[in-house]
Amino acid sequence: MTTTFPDKTLLLDDTASLRTAARFVREHDSAALLPLLLPGLDGPDLQALAGQCRFAHAGLLLFPSDTESLRSQLADCGLAVDTQAQPSVVVRERLARRHRRDPAELDVQILRPRVLGCDGEVRAVEVFALTVPPHSGLEPIAAYERTRQHEAHLAFEVEHPETLALRGLCAILVRHGARPDGGGYNPHEDGTVLYFTLPARAACDYRRLELYARGDHRDTLAAHLDHDSGRDARQPAETLLHLLTGAWTTQALTAFARLGLPEAMDTRTACRTEDLARLTGTDPRSLAVLLRYLVMLGAVTRVPVPVPVPAPAHEQRMEQVEQEGFRLTELGALLRADTPGSMRPLALMYGGPFYRSFSGLDHAVRTGQPAFDRIFGENHFDHFARDPELASLFDRSMAASSRMFQPLPAHPVIAAAAQAPESATVVDIAGGNGELLGLLLAAHPRLRGVLLERPHAVEAARRRLDAAGCGARCDYRAGDFADVPSGGDVYVLSRVLHDWDDDRCREILRHCARAMPPHADLLVVERLLPVDGSPSLATAWDLHMLCNVGGRERHADHYARLFAESGLHLIGHSPLPLDAHVLHARRAPAPDPVARRR
């Protein structure tokens, strides 16, 4: 009994998220749900929670472009489109703190369309809606929040929220592993919310729980917030221990993929450990240890499996006992080799060569030289080129992050090229196995493509694009950055510049500028370091680039300087999934000779 967000690490589709939340509310009831959220909850504590709280709603944050768009999403999910909206206070304040914005900029509304539960009770989907018009300054917030789902939660309403009872319920939640995680009072509806982070072993992919109490309970709220703010200060050793064991997470997921476990499991039915061990050639006891750890990571979930056993001989019947079983989650299914957009190559790469190189991170920090070169005796491009299997794994691992490309076919530059009177050409420089170029050509049948890559990658791209039905519209060039073909209409550099230092970047960009006709556009896909130091995948990848290739992630202003020094001009940039951005540049106008003489 667990429900996941579709592709929850990379979620882009608000409607899919809303539909999943509505389905969850319809399928679960209070008594069955509480033990899933708080494993080990039973006896008087379970009776107290189940007796005083009822499952009220599943909550999520959406980013419609306008009111009509939100109404359409509600209708698509079978929810009432005329549900009354009220201003949010709690979520608006949380967003403002997280993104360092003025709360007045964030007009967050709450809607609670009703849903009938499996037990006949009327519940709701709590929708927080922040309107994000296209190309507005709120798009980075939407991109960040969609991938992290900070506001997704399950809510239980306290039936009789007297002060002592409310504090007692909070104590039960904490005793069973839930951690205070903020809250607030909303005067618009006279209600108090207390948020908790669920324990990692919870058999549910929602990670937050809300207690909702009608009325003003700010004394209880203050104690709850004090507990929240003091938690990390009181437990530094536990926090550090979790951080130090992060390497175990990488290797557990990599072993999960290498052993073929995701392919042997299913997201709908559970398997006994003994059966999985037989299918994968593993030791049953050791496999159970791994699977229990993967439960904490959300890759699998533990589900009891009924097994028939003979009753006493004189009864002539079979009985059933429950044995430990495991079921694949949608997160774990991303590691299946046969799933679209599989992330298995990333697991094998991060748990393999790049894992080894991080053992030399102190060398990279001391010297400024890549640890990969020291560990393997050569740079990673040469090392991978020597081993066709490793080179193929690297190209496939790059393609595994291709979800960041999904919005690119709708980028104004691509859309304009696709609508040009004459067939336009997209030149993908160092385009790997053709994942991005294939996406653009498939979305726009009038576009043509040129892919520039190393010889072995060109052949892989040719096979991929032929299989996708785009090969007839694509030309292939084997070469280096000095071989950028001229005459294209749109040039693309995706995750290339972060591999190199500034001097090499300027050289690459100058090759592009020389090849580009005056009307051409350049799109550069990279992660941008946040100017305010907020959490970002770019910060993590900056360390990865230092350790493995000697490159770096950069701020937008840094890229603007590199463009300017290479004969290009940055027009602007917009967010993509996975904390990436697409930067748009054109050739800088030639200097006016008259003005120069002055």
Side-chain angles (χ1 to χ4, degrees):
M1 292 181 65
T2 181
T3 299
T4 61
F5 294 114
D7 192 1
K8 77 174 188 179
T9 56
L10 310 166
L11 187 65
L12 296 174
D13 188 343
D14 283 356
T15 303
S17 179
L18 182 59
R19 185 175 292 113
T20 299
R23 185 171 67 246
F24 191 99
V25 173
R26 292 186 182 103
E27 294 176 353
H28 292 79
D29 59 59
S30 304
L33 187 53
L34 281 166
L36 294 178
L37 306 181
L38 301 165
L41 178 69
D42 57 13
D45 283 351
L46 175 57
Q47 292 174 9
L49 282 175
Q52 298 186 60
C53 304
R54 71 173 190 87
F55 177 35
H57 66 253
L60 72 167
L61 176 59
L62 304 181
F63 303 92
S65 57
D66 52 35
T67 302
E68 192 55 39
S69 174
L70 177 60
R71 289 170 61 87
S72 177
Q73 288 175 333
L74 292 170
D76 288 346
C77 298
L79 302 172
V81 300
D82 56 353
T83 306
Q84 183 180 1
Q86 292 181 320
S88 161
V89 172
V90 178
V91 170
R92 182 189 66 188
E93 296 292 338
R94 285 168 61 88
L95 285 174
R97 286 194 300 271
R98 201 149 56 232
H99 297 277
R100 302 184 184 183
R101 296 290 191 105
D102 182 351
E105 296 181 67
L106 308 174
D107 182 19
V108 183
Q109 298 290 311
I110 307 174
L111 303 86
R112 294 192 181 93
R114 295 191 298 176
V115 173
L116 190 64
C118 60
D119 53 4
E121 284 195 6
V122 176
R123 301 195 177 92
V125 177
E126 184 173 70
V127 177
F128 299 103
L130 173 62
T131 300
V132 179
H135 313 301
S136 75
L138 299 179
E139 284 187 329
I141 294 179
Y144 179 90
E145 295 293 331
R146 278 190 176 113
T147 58
R148 286 160 177 78
Q149 294 291 320
H150 285 303
E151 300 305 327
H153 66 273
L154 300 176
F156 288 77
E157 183 172 352
V158 181
E159 302 277 38
H160 304 290
E162 299 164 354
T163 300
L164 287 179
L166 189 55
R167 293 199 178 196
L169 295 175
C170 291
I172 291 173
L173 292 173
V174 171
R175 189 157 60 243
H176 288 275
R179 297 179 301 170
D181 184 27
Y185 170 70
N186 188 343
H188 299 287
E189 58 182 33
D190 189 29
T192 304
V193 295
L194 308 171
Y195 286 120
F196 296 82
T197 299
L198 291 168
R201 62 186 185 279
C204 174
D205 287 331
Y206 285 87
R207 299 263 62 92
R208 296 176 67 240
L209 178 147
E210 171 193 323
L211 276 189
Y212 178 80
R214 296 187 183 279
D216 186 345
H217 302 278
R218 276 181 271 198
D219 289 342
T220 302
L221 176 64
H224 177 80
L225 296 177
D226 284 344
H227 191 174
D228 180 22
S229 63
R231 173 169 47 84
D232 287 340
R234 288 194 296 271
Q235 301 178 8
E238 182 179 348
T239 299
L240 182 59
L241 196 57
H242 280 292
L243 296 173
L244 288 172
T245 57
W248 303 353
T249 296
T250 303
Q251 288 301 328
L253 291 169
T254 302
F256 184 54
R258 283 186 183 138
L259 293 168
L261 285 160
E263 290 78 15
M265 299 178 71
D266 190 81
T267 58
R268 296 178 299 277
T269 56
C271 294
R272 295 187 310 151
T273 307
E274 292 79 1
D275 296 333
L276 286 173
R278 186 169 56 254
L279 287 170
T280 57
T282 53
D283 174 67
R285 180 191 170 280
S286 302
L287 178 58
V289 173
L290 172 63
L291 290 170
R292 289 171 196 145
Y293 184 81
L294 290 166
V295 168
M296 294 198 309
L297 304 182
V300 301
T301 188
R302 185 187 285 126
V303 181
V305 178
V307 178
V309 296
H314 66 276
E315 296 189 19
Q316 297 293 310
R317 62 186 178 87
M318 298 290 286
E319 294 182 343
Q320 283 196 340
V321 299
E322 289 188 341
Q323 293 187 1
E324 184 178 53
F326 297 90
R327 180 170 60 76
L328 193 65
T329 67
E330 292 190 26
L331 184 149
L334 289 172
L335 293 174
R336 293 179 66 117
D338 58 354
T339 194
S342 170
M343 299 183 77
R344 184 176 187 272
L346 278 175
L348 300 181
M349 187 62 68
Y350 292 151
F354 289 150
Y355 189 89
R356 286 184 60 192
S357 66
F358 259 92
S359 67
L361 178 60
D362 55 339
H363 166 79
V365 174
R366 271 197 308 268
T367 66
Q369 301 301 312
F372 191 103
D373 298 27
R374 186 184 192 196
I375 300 294
F376 292 96
E378 57 188 340
N379 73 67
H380 96 284
F381 292 110
D382 291 340
H383 184 73
F384 293 164
R386 293 180 191 282
D387 184 337
E389 185 174 340
L390 196 55
S392 174
L393 176 62
F394 177 71
D395 288 335
R396 284 184 283 121
S397 72
M398 292 290 287
S401 295
S402 62
R403 290 170 182 83
M404 69 172 58
F405 303 150
Q406 288 175 352
L408 281 176
H411 190 280
V413 165
I414 301 296
Q419 296 166 9
E422 297 183 7
S423 179
T425 299
V426 177
V427 180
D428 193 356
I429 304 161
N433 69 354
E435 182 79 26
L436 172 55
L437 187 58
L439 180 69
L440 299 178
L441 296 182
H444 300 292
R446 295 184 67 245
L447 288 179
R448 295 193 59 83
V450 177
L451 185 134
L452 173 69
E453 252 296 0
R454 296 154 295 165
H456 82 272
V458 163
E459 292 310 310
R462 190 189 303 274
R463 290 191 297 271
R464 182 182 189 87
L465 290 169
D466 282 347
C470 304
R473 290 185 283 130
C474 193
D475 294 326
Y476 305 90
R477 307 286 177 85
D480 200 349
F481 296 114
D483 304 307
V484 175
S486 61
D489 300 287
V490 180
Y491 289 74
V492 178
L493 274 173
S494 175
R495 297 174 298 173
V496 170
L497 298 181
H498 73 163
D499 288 335
W500 308 100
D501 61 23
D502 285 0
D503 288 342
R504 181 62 164 151
C505 284
R506 281 188 285 266
E507 183 181 345
I508 293 169
L509 290 169
R510 285 168 184 155
H511 287 310
C512 294
R514 281 193 291 269
M516 291 168 60
H519 72 275
D521 295 281
L522 172 66
L523 298 181
V524 173
V525 176
E526 294 288 357
R527 290 189 171 95
L528 296 181
L529 291 170
V531 294
D532 60 359
S534 58
S536 169
L537 289 174
T539 304
W541 256 257
D542 202 20
L543 190 69
H544 172 68
M545 305 313 292
L546 166 71
C547 188
N548 285 289
V549 301
R552 59 186 298 182
E553 306 295 347
R554 297 170 171 90
H555 296 95
D557 288 348
H558 194 153
Y559 278 114
R561 290 196 301 273
L562 292 177
F563 290 148
E565 293 161 359
S566 307
L568 297 161
H569 172 63
L570 177 63
I571 305 298
H573 59 85
S574 54
L576 295 172
L578 301 182
D579 279 354
H581 282 73
V582 54
L583 298 98
H584 175 203
R586 289 192 181 124
R587 276 177 46 180
D592 185 343
V594 176
R596 187 166 50 191
R597 285 197 297 271
R598 292 175 183 168

